């Protein structure tokens, strides 16, 4: 089992990484000496992947979210099933839905080639999420580094902890509060739905049964999402600017053009209406709050010091 960590350096950055090990705090300069090429490798790989398929930016962002919300940001979401545990990939929120694993594999291979056993899969996922947002025109933020990788995963935990697109506002607030987020942060993080696609089976009920949906928008969705069949047909989460990371998502909500039930719940006469309105009018406020919430999410229960390991292959324990 590899015990390499950000503290394996005799440079100035050793002080920061030793601090990270002792206090479980992450630091953005963790690999400055131990693997100085790491961040540029991740960035260039993400830019290439997003250029090849724009949707991949949303997929890599979602991968980080689904990792952190289940037992912390520990790359458990990347583990394949073994004889000793059933992993998170087969959980309802992830199966036939979560994407980007091959991109993470490619990055890990490139990073291992230049500094083996140093950079964790969990850190790669966290940085790739940030770089994806930037590649799509969104804000940047300093990603704390020094996470280590889990040695197990839990389908049951993923099933329990990942918020459902069918949730009402009160359930959404509770689901995020369980991870330490207030309702403002929940709204900001939901703004990630300014990019990406969703399957018909997740919004069929809203399109055919709900009244809080703009009629022309509903009609257009029905053409690609029949009342029966077509479960895997895809529609953009943001009908206005489907790829770009911007604040159009919030404008859509005000116009009753949220794709998912959980999206429109954020602007449905409840306690979060005012926050949606703020973000619809002020993209800089959304960007700032989203970046802050992403930093907070990236700090959810990381494994540090000698906990966990630095996986050689992100899909399996060493």
């Amino acid at each position: 089992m590899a015990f390499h960590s950000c503290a394996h350096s005799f440079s100035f950055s050793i002080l920061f990484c030793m601090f990270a090990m002792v206090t479980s705090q992450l630091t953005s300069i963790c690999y400055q000496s131990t693997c100085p090429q790491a961040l540029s490798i991740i960035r260039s790989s993400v830019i290439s992947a997003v250029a090849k398929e724009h949707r991949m930016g949303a997929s890599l962002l979602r991968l980080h979210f689904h990792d952190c919300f289940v037992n912390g940001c520990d790359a458990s979401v990347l583990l394949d099933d073994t004889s000793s545990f059933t992993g998170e990939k087969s959980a309802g929120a992830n199966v036939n839905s979560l994407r980007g694993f091959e991109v993470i594999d490619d990055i890990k291979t490139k990073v291992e080639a230049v500094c083996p056993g140093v950079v964790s899969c969990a850190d790669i996922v966290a940085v790739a999420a940030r770089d994806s947002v930037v590649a799509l025109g969104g804000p940047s933020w300093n990603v704390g580094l020094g996470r280590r990788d889990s040695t197990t995963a839990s389908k049951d935990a993923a099933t329990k902890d990942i918020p459902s697109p069918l949730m009402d506002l009160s359930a959404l607030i509770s689901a995020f509060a369980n991870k330490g987020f207030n309702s403002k942060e929940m709204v900001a993080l939901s703004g990630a739905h300014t990019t990406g696609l969703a399957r018909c089976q997740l919004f069929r009920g809203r399109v055919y049964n709900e009244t809080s949906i703009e009629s022309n928008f509903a009609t257009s969705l029905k053409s690609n999402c029949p009342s029966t069949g077509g479960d895997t047909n895809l529609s953009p989460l943001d009908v206005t600017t489907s790829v770009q990371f911007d604040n159009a998502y919030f404008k859509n909500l005000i116009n009753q053009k949220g794709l998912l039930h959980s999206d429109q719940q954020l602007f449905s006469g409840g306690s979060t209406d005012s926050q949606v309105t703020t973000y619809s009018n002020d993209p800089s406020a959304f960007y700032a709050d989203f970046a802050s919430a992403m930093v907070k999410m990236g700090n959810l229960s990381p494994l540090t010091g000698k906990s966990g390991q630095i996986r050689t292959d992100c899909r399996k324990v060493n």
Side-chain angles (χ1 to χ4, degrees), residues 136-138 191 194-195 238 240-250 283 286-287:
L136 295 173
T194 183
T195 186
D238 174 355
T240 310
T241 53
S242 60
V243 173
Q244 187 175 343
F245 195 101
D246 56 22
N247 70 328
Y249 168 80
F250 298 104
F286 165 50
Y287 280 10

Side-chain angles (χ1 to χ4, degrees), residues 63-203:
L63 195 61
H64 182 41
F65 174 72
H66 283 218
D67 182 32
C68 293
F69 258 57
V70 183
N71 296 323
C73 309
D74 60 1
S76 57
V77 72
L78 305 179
L79 288 172
D80 291 334
D81 295 350
T82 71
S83 57
S84 59
F85 65 80
T86 302
E88 297 162 27
K89 292 180 179 179
S90 59
N94 296 334
V95 67
N96 299 323
S97 169
L98 211 57
R99 309 169 73 249
F101 299 109
E102 294 80 8
V103 175
I104 300 300
D105 290 341
D106 176 62
I107 294 171
K108 180 63 172 174
T109 299
K110 291 175 181 175
V111 172
E112 285 293 304
V114 295
C115 31
V118 174
V119 181
S120 68
C121 301
D123 277 349
I124 290 173
V125 171
V127 175
R130 188 270 312 275
D131 291 349
S132 292
V133 171
V134 173
L136 295 173
S140 186
W141 58 91
N142 286 327
V143 178
L145 302 168
R147 300 169 191 79
R148 289 168 64 85
D149 300 323
S150 69
T151 55
T152 188
S154 171
K155 176 183 178 180
D156 290 343
T159 300
K160 177 174 65 76
D161 289 346
I162 297 173
S164 163
L166 305 179
M167 282 181 169
D168 290 335
L169 180 60
S170 59
L172 288 168
I173 291 173
S174 296
F176 279 79
N178 287 339
K179 299 299 176 182
F181 295 102
N182 59 35
S183 60
K184 180 180 178 180
E185 291 165 331
M186 183 270 288
V187 173
L189 289 173
S190 297
H193 285 181
T194 183
T195 186
L197 306 171
R199 293 173 292 166
C200 166
Q201 68 185 88
L202 297 179
F203 59 85

